[in-house]
Structure formats: C-alpha cells, structure tokens
Amino acid sequence: MNIVVGVTGGIAAYKTVHLVRLLTKAGHEVTVIPTEDALRFVGLPTWEAISRHPVTTSVHEDVAKVRHVALGQAAELVIVAPATANTIAKMTAGLADDLLGTTLLATVAPVVIAPAMHAEMWQHPATQSNIATLRERGVRIVGPADGELAGGDSGPGRMSEPEEIFAAALAAITPGDLDGRRIAVSAGGTREPIDPVRYLGNRSSGRQGVALAVEAAERGAEVVLVAANISHDVLAAAQHPRIRVVGVGAAAELGAAMREAAAEADAVVMAAAVADYRPAEVAAHKLTKESGPLTSIELVENEDIVAGLVRDRRAGQVIVGFAAETPVAGGGVDDAELMERARRKQQRKGVDLLVVNEVGWDRGFEAAENAVRILGSGGAVVGSAAGSKREVARAIWDAVVKLSQ
Ligand code: C5P
C-alpha cells in the first residue's frame, strides 16, 4: 500500500522514525514528507534511509511529474505524525504552502493525525475547534496522550506511541466489521420536568453511549446517537461524519426518537439511563414556597422503551439493554443476586444482550472507566470488559457482531 507520512516540526518527530519502520516492515511503500521545520528535529538522510525513498519538502522539485499533487493522488493513506498545532490549523484552513499542504489537499485517502504539542496549545479553543472540524471531515485523530512533555511539563499533548499510531492507521484502511450497518444508540440521562425550571434526573454523563457510537462509526457503521442531556464536552467526542446526533430531554422524547431510529436500524443499544417515573403533572409556572409547601411529588410510570423496541423489532435486529446495579459495597446486593436480577431483567425486557454494570457513588456513572459483564439471551455471560468506556464499547460491539454472524 502507498502511504504518505507527513512529519511536522515537533520533538516527537524522533518517534515517527520508528513508525515509518513499522510501516515499511509491514510491506508498505512509504513516502515521507517533512516540513522544513521538521528537518530541524530529524534530518533528511534519516527519512530517506528509513523509508528507502527520496525525500523532499519542496513543491519545486520533480515539477514535470506534478509531484505536489501526484503524491496525494497516489496515496492510499496519509498519516501526519507529529501534527503540530500550526499544521492542524493549516489543515483546517486548507493552506497549501508546502509539499505536505498540497499533498493533503490533493488526496482523497483516509487521513490519520497524531497531534503533539504543549498541553496549553492543545487545550486552546482554536486548536480544539480545528480538531473538531477535522474530525467532522473524517480525519482520524490518535491521541494525544497525557504525560510528560518537552521541558518537564506534563498534561495532554504527548504524541501517542508509534505502535498505537500504526494500529490506528491499519484500522483506517481495513473495512470495519460494522461496515454499512445502521445503528441506533441512546445515551445520557433523561430529565423529567417538574416545572419550567426543575426536573428529576440522574447522574449519567453519556460517556458510555458516546463511546459506543464512536466505536461503531469507526468500525464502519452509520450511527444515530439519541443524546439525552449530554454536556457539550462529552458530546464533542461524537463528531464524526457517520454519527448523526438527535438531542432529547425527557423519556417520552427519547422513546419517540429511538422508535424512529430503530425502524431502520440493524442494531439498537439502549445505553441511556431512562427515568422509570415522571411527575404526574408538570406545573406551568415555577413552583415557589408561596404557592404552598411542596413535600411530595406524585409520580406515574414511564413506558419501558426498550421493551417496546423489542416488541416492534425488525427481522434480524439485535437489541442491547443496560442494567446498572449497585453491588454490596454500594449498599446493594451480593454478586450472585446481582447477576440473578440481571438475568430476570433480560428475560423481562426480551433483549438479546444485557450489559450489566456496577454503579455507585464512585463508579459507572460519570466516571471515565467502567466494568461490565454481557449476558446473552440464554443468561450466560458472553463477554466482559473493564477499563476505559471505549474498551467496554469495543467488547459490546464484538458481542453484537458475534450474534449477527
Ligand atoms: O429497568 P432498568 O431501568 O434497570 O433497565 C435499564 C435498561 O432499560 C436500559 O437499557 C435503559 O435504557 C432501558 N429503559 C428503557 N425505558 C425505561 C427504563 C429503562 O428503555 N423506562
């Protein structure tokens, strides 16, 4: 495969030498395009020796072969590592004042970038907005990792390790196992209005559902993400050309949006924390102490959305539910009882897979990490995962893919 590796001016360029080596060892033809600035960190002879191809930064060489666009046209994949804040800004604006710039504009191949910069530069709204734009255009962003930076600082901004960039690059050119599948995911937590300014809600951040949507999109699926009250920060990660976000508030709205999305979906995941009850009446005006003391709120039961989706399911559609349970340490039940409850819940709702996650004051909801077991329809544990919500998402899609084979 023809791969272009763009190298821009950051100290992490030395790690890219190893990335180029991994790519050539795997049998790819690699053309390195450094920027002028990058050559201050790693010199031209190194890039030529490691890639076994001539290397130039200039658009004025090989003019007869229209090199400034030929490399981009011939590329089957473009990687930019490290990608500095400056290069990211140039990519966003479509600037083409050097060979890397023209190549990036001339290519229709997948593009993977590995940002590397100081934490402040990474967190700057300009960089964050550029990254969001690139992501929307389909550019895959690897990292940056959190860790020690040049100059002894630390924070997010460190370039991901070459092995990780290599894996992301391969993933970008391998058709995903969810290629062309249509998927509906609900995420976040519903808010049931009490009056115009108050609601009954829960602490679900939506991170697990967003991770599910992103993982599915990256594996090739077309995703509708029904997002209930997810903060801007969390939802930012869901910017992807194959994810359509539908924002909702209360359970009834979430139900309507999911029914619509599920009517065309091959798989449905109900990761949202849906309120089981809502206030029987919603006050038209803000309740005040003057309108009388409020010591109780009468509640009525919400419909079970996932059970309804199971009832109306399309042929072959896989439906996944979640069960959040508090174990003993959280004042709940022991493990055997927790799993027994989960099995009963799965039977009651009729879902194909039930993802059981332990929640409590300090785990599951809001946290970045999660630990789950996945129950199959016979009640057996067919998968499990512990770690980042992305890793958990991976295990859930693996189980869905296995079921639909
Ligand atoms: O019964 P419980 O709330 O624990 O069930 C959790 C699962 O059911 C989740 O997948 C959740 O999205 C879904 N659910 C639903 N409608 C409700 C309550 C929960 O679809 N009213």
Side-chain angles (χ1 to χ4, degrees):
M1 184 161 289
N2 274 323
I3 301 179
V4 166
V5 176
V7 186
T8 74
I11 183 77
Y14 79 90
K15 292 206 256 181
T16 308
V17 176
H18 184 46
L19 171 66
V20 173
R21 196 167 153 64
L22 290 173
L23 292 165
T24 52
K25 266 177 84 178
H28 300 293
E29 291 295 321
V30 180
T31 304
V32 177
I33 308 182
T35 58
E36 278 296 330
D37 226 32
L39 294 180
R40 299 164 80 101
F41 295 91
V42 177
L44 209 118
T46 303
W47 297 122
E48 292 199 330
I50 205 87
S51 69
R52 292 187 231 113
H53 280 290
V55 171
T56 174
T57 62
S58 165
V59 289
H60 304 301
E61 278 174 39
D62 249 348
V63 177
K65 291 191 193 138
V66 218
R67 189 177 171 84
H68 71 291
V69 289
L71 287 173
Q73 287 168 338
E76 292 162 273
L77 171 70
V78 180
I79 305 170
V80 183
T84 58
N86 183 55
T87 296
I88 288 167
K90 282 169 66 175
M91 285 177 76
T92 311
L95 292 188
D97 59 354
D98 58 8
L99 186 59
L100 181 58
T102 56
T103 303
L104 282 163
L105 277 188
T107 196
V108 290
V111 177
V112 175
I113 70 168
M117 65 198 74
H118 264 75
E120 292 84 350
M121 295 170 80
W122 171 251
Q123 283 158 342
H124 194 282
T127 306
Q128 286 302 306
S129 144
N130 291 337
I131 286 288
T133 305
L134 292 179
R135 208 176 249 143
E136 232 168 74
R137 285 187 201 150
V139 172
R140 291 168 189 241
I141 322 286
V142 191
D146 220 307
E148 204 177 308
L149 302 168
D153 297 344
S154 79
R158 198 182 147 89
M159 187 172 91
S160 295
E161 293 308 311
E163 288 75 11
E164 200 183 324
I165 304 170
F166 179 67
L170 288 192
I173 49 181
T174 317
D177 53 3
L178 293 171
D179 221 14
R181 305 271 201 103
R182 286 158 306 171
I183 280 166
V185 176
S186 71
T190 62
R191 290 179 181 175
E192 308 302 313
I194 298 169
D195 67 14
V197 296
R198 300 188 181 89
Y199 57 82
L200 292 177
N202 59 70
R203 287 174 46 207
S204 174
S205 65
R207 281 200 181 86
Q208 185 61 71
V210 167
L212 278 158
V214 174
E215 172 71 13
E218 290 201 353
R219 283 161 79 154
E222 292 289 336
V223 184
V224 177
L225 173 63
V226 174
N229 311 298
I230 300 180
S231 77
H232 184 70
D233 280 3
V234 172
L235 206 52
Q239 275 161 346
H240 189 287
R242 283 193 294 272
I243 300 179
R244 182 163 69 86
V245 177
V246 180
V248 295
E253 276 178 75
L254 188 143
M258 280 308 282
R259 275 190 293 279
E260 194 181 326
E264 309 207 312
D266 302 305
V268 176
V269 180
M270 276 291 291
V274 182
D276 290 324
Y277 300 93
R278 66 177 183 278
E281 275 177 42
V282 181
H285 302 286
K286 183 183 168 201
L287 298 172
T288 62
K289 282 187 186 148
E290 280 176 18
S291 45
L294 182 69
T295 51
S296 64
I297 298 174
E298 195 190 331
L299 300 175
V300 291
E301 203 167 338
N302 278 331
E303 61 158 337
D304 192 316
I305 299 163
V306 75
L309 296 176
V310 167
R311 234 177 6 250
D312 300 336
R313 81 159 81 199
R314 304 171 63 209
Q317 186 179 63
V318 176
I319 301 186
V320 183
F322 267 70
E325 303 282 354
T326 39
V328 168
V333 293
D334 67 22
D335 197 64
E337 171 61 17
L338 185 143
M339 291 308 278
E340 215 23 69
R341 274 192 199 181
R343 287 192 179 93
R344 286 200 296 273
K345 183 168 295 186
Q346 194 218 354
Q347 294 283 307
R348 199 165 62 239
K349 302 203 180 226
V351 291
D352 301 299
L353 297 170
L354 187 78
V355 181
V356 188
N357 69 321
E358 290 183 11
V359 293
W361 291 110
D362 57 353
R363 57 174 129 186
F365 279 27
E366 290 181 329
E369 304 248 311
N370 209 358
V372 304
R373 277 168 286 181
I374 305 169
L375 281 185
S377 58
V381 175
V382 297
S384 64
S388 70
K389 290 193 171 175
R390 187 63 185 267
E391 282 167 77
V392 168
R394 208 164 286 149
I396 294 170
W397 290 123
D398 285 347
V400 170
V401 168
K402 222 185 266 173
L403 254 195
S404 24
Q405 267 162 0

